[in-house]
Amino acid sequence: MLNLGAALPEMFLAVSALALLMLGVFTGKDKAFRTVSWLAVLAQIVTLVLVVMGDGGVAFYGQFTADAFAKFAKVLILIGSSLGIVMAMNFAERENMSRFEFPILITLATVGMMAMVSATDMLSLYLGLELQSLALYVIAAIRRDTVRATEAGLKYFVLGSIASGMLLYGMSMVYGFTGTTNFVVLGDIMTGGDISVGTLVGLAFMFAGLCFKVSAVPFHMWTPDVYEGAPTPVTAFFAVAPKIAGLALFVRVAVGPFAGVVADWQQIIVMVSVLSMVWGSFAALRQDNIKRLMAYSSIGHVGFALVGLAAGTAEGVQGVLVYLGIYLVMNLGTFAVILSMRRNDRMVEEITDLAGLAKTKPLMAAVAAILMFSMAGIPPLAGFFGKFYVFKAAVDAGLVTLAVIGLVTSVVSAYYYLRVIKVMYFDEPVEAFDKNGTEMNVIMAVATIVMLVFVFFPNPLMDSAGAAASALFGQ
């Protein structure tokens, strides 16, 4: 059945985006930016309420589902997208990029992300993925007057098109050898654990396309350049919402239709996970630009999250979802710090610009230090528990070597996080940063509190992640 009620949040957000587009056109681009931005945030908050209050169900003749897994991923995506718009407002006005299309493009990308994490058919999956991707290509190059942003957008577009082609080719192979695009039917076909060579080749191509979308090695090459070249609020948005949506989609494809052939795809995920953890940890050691450092950091974090997926169990998926929830908060807080790195009304991006921050802005330095410790996985901060749950799932699934490699690379990655703390607390102070905006202060404060108190109140995130994982495994 159509069952439009299950897709009500997506439909509401899509209609809101179109209404905001009309508002922006008739109001004028200079006047409309802040109004459209706040209305876009409001639309996403209403959508979040609709997601949480929704009853779920299957829609569009089995091509779309609003199960607990989709609900969990959508909540994270909507939080990341709405805060991405909030973080961009002051920056956009100062840097003369206050175009009303910006929040609308983020909203449309969010519709695509929500659609793809609910997809239960390869056709609906691709529609959601491309709606997200096309909006993101434009967002990356939103500052048309700068060479770096234009280059970032072009690289993202060209490489993203290749990845989409690989994904489509993989889907066509799977369809050709199984005769279906529906996840439920595919799951029934794979139940016996038998998979033809052609289907396996198609699955490998699908995984390659998805690896690009989450910037996993060896399909990560666009990430550092796009993160550095795009405007900082755009980088902040790219680091959270699309990354979470991509990993959620990866999990749904792997343990949904192909749950019966875990042994066949597990080695692919293990290899990608190891490469991402190793490259993300070692390549970041020589970075001097904080945005490039965060790019390699995100590649490493994707590797850690994929450790949970490699386990192929409900416990592993729960670990991935807990990791994504913690990752969202850590990255939003860290990018709030980066967006506060302004000197003489000009953005600075080098790690050396943080020198002596503990003396010039002690509170901001303390926030940055807590977030860096959490990213490094130092107990008892939330980042430690994110890694603990995925490593535990891997060990329980017999992937002890993978967990050990994860631990070793985690120690290596701690070096470049601790380097930032060393620069802030032990180097000679440079000129103080400009005064922070209120929005940044609030985001930094909330992120820090969450990192500190998660050890005392882990149950809300753990329980909801557990329910989401169980929904995928039909438990």
Side-chain angles (χ1 to χ4, degrees), residues 192-226:
D194 295 325
I195 182 169
S196 65
V197 175
T199 308
L200 192 58
V201 170
L203 182 59
F205 273 99
M206 285 179 67
F207 277 14
L210 292 172
C211 281
F212 174 90
K213 299 300 179 184
V214 299
S215 62
V217 178
F219 304 97
H220 66 289
M221 66 292 287
W222 61 274
T223 315
D225 293 335
V226 172

Coordinates of all heavy atoms in Angstrom, one line a residue, residues 192-226:
G192 N 19.6 -18.9 2.6 CA 20.3 -20.2 2.7 C 21.8 -20.0 2.7 O 22.6 -21.0 2.9
G193 N 22.3 -18.8 2.6 CA 23.7 -18.6 2.6 C 24.4 -18.8 1.3 O 25.7 -18.6 1.2
D194 N 23.6 -19.1 0.2 CA 24.2 -19.3 -1.1 C 24.1 -18.0 -1.9 O 23.1 -17.3 -1.9 CB 23.5 -20.4 -1.9 CG 23.6 -21.7 -1.2 OD1 24.7 -22.0 -0.7 OD2 22.6 -22.5 -1.2
I195 N 25.3 -17.6 -2.5 CA 25.3 -16.3 -3.3 C 26.1 -16.6 -4.5 O 27.2 -17.1 -4.4 CB 25.9 -15.1 -2.4 CG1 25.9 -13.8 -3.2 CG2 27.2 -15.4 -1.9 CD1 26.2 -12.6 -2.4
S196 N 25.6 -16.2 -5.7 CA 26.3 -16.5 -6.9 C 27.5 -15.5 -7.0 O 27.5 -14.4 -6.4 CB 25.3 -16.3 -8.1 OG 24.9 -14.9 -8.2
V197 N 28.4 -15.8 -7.9 CA 29.6 -15.0 -8.1 C 29.2 -13.6 -8.6 O 29.7 -12.6 -8.2 CB 30.6 -15.6 -9.1 CG1 31.7 -14.7 -9.4 CG2 31.1 -16.9 -8.5
G198 N 28.2 -13.6 -9.5 CA 27.7 -12.3 -10.1 C 27.1 -11.4 -9.1 O 27.4 -10.2 -9.0
T199 N 26.3 -12.0 -8.2 CA 25.7 -11.2 -7.1 C 26.8 -10.6 -6.2 O 26.7 -9.5 -5.7 CB 24.7 -12.1 -6.3 OG1 23.8 -12.7 -7.2 CG2 23.9 -11.2 -5.3
L200 N 27.8 -11.5 -5.9 CA 28.9 -11.0 -5.0 C 29.7 -9.9 -5.6 O 30.0 -8.9 -4.9 CB 29.8 -12.2 -4.7 CG 30.8 -12.0 -3.6 CD1 30.2 -11.7 -2.3 CD2 31.7 -13.3 -3.4
V201 N 29.9 -10.0 -6.9 CA 30.6 -8.9 -7.6 C 29.8 -7.6 -7.6 O 30.3 -6.5 -7.3 CB 30.9 -9.3 -9.1 CG1 31.4 -8.1 -9.9 CG2 31.9 -10.4 -9.2
G202 N 28.4 -7.8 -7.8 CA 27.5 -6.6 -7.7 C 27.6 -6.0 -6.3 O 27.6 -4.8 -6.1
L203 N 27.6 -6.9 -5.3 CA 27.6 -6.4 -3.9 C 28.9 -5.6 -3.6 O 28.9 -4.6 -2.9 CB 27.5 -7.6 -2.9 CG 27.5 -7.3 -1.4 CD1 26.3 -6.3 -1.1 CD2 27.4 -8.6 -0.6
A204 N 30.0 -6.1 -4.2 CA 31.3 -5.4 -4.0 C 31.3 -4.0 -4.6 O 31.8 -3.1 -4.0 CB 32.4 -6.3 -4.6
F205 N 30.7 -3.9 -5.8 CA 30.6 -2.6 -6.4 C 29.6 -1.7 -5.6 O 29.9 -0.5 -5.5 CB 30.0 -2.7 -7.8 CG 31.1 -2.9 -8.9 CD1 31.4 -4.2 -9.3 CD2 31.9 -1.9 -9.3 CE1 32.4 -4.4 -10.3 CE2 32.9 -2.0 -10.3 CZ 33.2 -3.3 -10.7
M206 N 28.5 -2.2 -5.0 CA 27.7 -1.4 -4.2 C 28.4 -0.9 -3.0 O 28.3 0.2 -2.6 CB 26.4 -2.3 -3.8 CG 25.4 -2.5 -4.8 SD 24.0 -3.5 -4.3 CE 23.3 -2.4 -3.0
F207 N 29.2 -1.8 -2.3 CA 30.0 -1.4 -1.2 C 31.0 -0.3 -1.5 O 31.3 0.6 -0.7 CB 30.6 -2.6 -0.6 CG 29.8 -3.4 0.4 CD1 28.4 -3.2 0.4 CD2 30.3 -4.4 1.2 CE1 27.6 -4.0 1.2 CE2 29.5 -5.1 2.1 CZ 28.1 -4.9 2.1
A208 N 31.6 -0.4 -2.7 CA 32.6 0.6 -3.2 C 31.9 1.9 -3.3 O 32.5 2.9 -2.8 CB 33.2 0.2 -4.5
G209 N 30.7 2.0 -3.9 CA 30.0 3.2 -4.0 C 29.6 3.8 -2.6 O 29.8 5.0 -2.3
L210 N 29.2 2.9 -1.7 CA 28.9 3.4 -0.3 C 30.1 3.8 0.5 O 30.0 4.8 1.3 CB 28.1 2.3 0.4 CG 26.7 1.9 -0.1 CD1 26.2 0.7 0.6 CD2 25.8 3.1 0.1
C211 N 31.2 3.2 0.2 CA 32.5 3.6 0.9 C 32.9 5.0 0.5 O 33.4 5.8 1.3 CB 33.6 2.6 0.5 SG 33.6 1.1 1.4
F212 N 32.6 5.4 -0.7 CA 32.9 6.8 -1.1 C 32.0 7.7 -0.4 O 32.5 8.8 0.1 CB 32.6 7.0 -2.6 CG 32.8 8.4 -3.1 CD1 34.0 8.9 -3.5 CD2 31.7 9.3 -3.0 CE1 34.1 10.2 -3.9 CE2 31.8 10.6 -3.4 CZ 33.0 11.1 -3.8
K213 N 30.7 7.4 -0.2 CA 29.8 8.3 0.4 C 30.2 8.5 1.9 O 29.9 9.6 2.5 CB 28.4 7.8 0.3 CG 27.9 7.6 -1.1 CD 27.8 8.9 -1.8 CE 27.3 8.7 -3.3 NZ 27.4 10.0 -4.1
V214 N 30.8 7.5 2.5 CA 31.2 7.7 4.0 C 32.7 8.0 4.1 O 33.2 8.1 5.2 CB 30.9 6.5 4.8 CG1 29.4 6.2 4.8 CG2 31.6 5.2 4.3
S215 N 33.4 8.2 2.9 CA 34.8 8.5 2.9 C 35.7 7.5 3.6 O 36.5 7.8 4.4 CB 35.1 10.0 3.4 OG 34.8 10.1 4.7
A216 N 35.4 6.2 3.3 CA 36.2 5.1 3.8 C 37.4 4.8 2.8 O 37.1 4.9 1.6 CB 35.4 3.9 4.0
V217 N 38.5 4.5 3.3 CA 39.7 4.2 2.5 C 39.3 2.9 1.7 O 38.8 1.9 2.3 CB 40.9 4.0 3.3 CG1 42.1 3.6 2.5 CG2 41.2 5.3 4.1
P218 N 39.6 2.7 0.4 CA 40.4 3.6 -0.4 C 39.6 4.6 -1.3 O 40.1 5.0 -2.3 CB 41.1 2.5 -1.3 CG 40.1 1.4 -1.5 CD 39.3 1.4 -0.2
F219 N 38.4 4.9 -0.8 CA 37.6 5.9 -1.6 C 37.4 7.2 -0.8 O 36.4 7.8 -0.8 CB 36.2 5.2 -1.9 CG 36.3 3.9 -2.6 CD1 36.3 2.7 -1.9 CD2 36.5 3.9 -4.0 CE1 36.4 1.5 -2.6 CE2 36.6 2.7 -4.6 CZ 36.5 1.5 -3.9
H220 N 38.5 7.6 -0.2 CA 38.5 8.7 0.7 C 39.1 10.0 0.1 O 39.1 11.0 0.7 CB 39.3 8.4 1.9 CG 40.8 8.2 1.6 ND1 41.2 7.1 0.9 CD2 41.9 9.0 1.8 CE1 42.5 7.3 0.7 NE2 43.0 8.4 1.2
M221 N 39.7 9.8 -1.1 CA 40.6 10.9 -1.7 C 40.0 12.3 -1.8 O 40.7 13.3 -1.7 CB 41.1 10.4 -3.1 CG 40.1 10.3 -4.2 SD 38.9 9.0 -4.0 CE 39.9 7.6 -4.4
W222 N 38.7 12.4 -1.8 CA 38.0 13.7 -1.9 C 38.0 14.4 -0.6 O 37.9 15.6 -0.6 CB 36.6 13.5 -2.5 CG 35.7 12.7 -1.6 CD1 35.6 11.3 -1.6 CD2 34.8 13.1 -0.5 NE1 34.7 10.9 -0.6 CE2 34.2 12.0 0.0 CE3 34.5 14.4 0.0 CZ2 33.3 12.1 1.1 CZ3 33.6 14.5 1.0 CH2 33.0 13.3 1.5
T223 N 38.0 13.7 0.5 CA 37.7 14.2 1.8 C 38.6 15.4 2.3 O 38.0 16.5 2.6 CB 37.6 13.1 2.9 OG1 36.9 12.0 2.4 CG2 36.9 13.6 4.2
P224 N 39.9 15.2 2.3 CA 40.7 16.3 2.9 C 40.6 17.6 2.1 O 40.5 18.7 2.6 CB 42.1 15.8 2.8 CG 42.0 14.3 2.8 CD 40.7 14.0 2.0
D225 N 40.6 17.5 0.7 CA 40.5 18.7 -0.1 C 39.1 19.4 0.0 O 39.0 20.6 0.0 CB 40.7 18.3 -1.6 CG 42.2 17.8 -1.8 OD1 43.0 18.3 -1.1 OD2 42.4 17.1 -2.8
V226 N 38.0 18.6 0.1 CA 36.7 19.2 0.2 C 36.5 19.8 1.6 O 36.0 20.9 1.7 CB 35.6 18.1 -0.1 CG1 34.2 18.7 0.2 CG2 35.7 17.7 -1.5

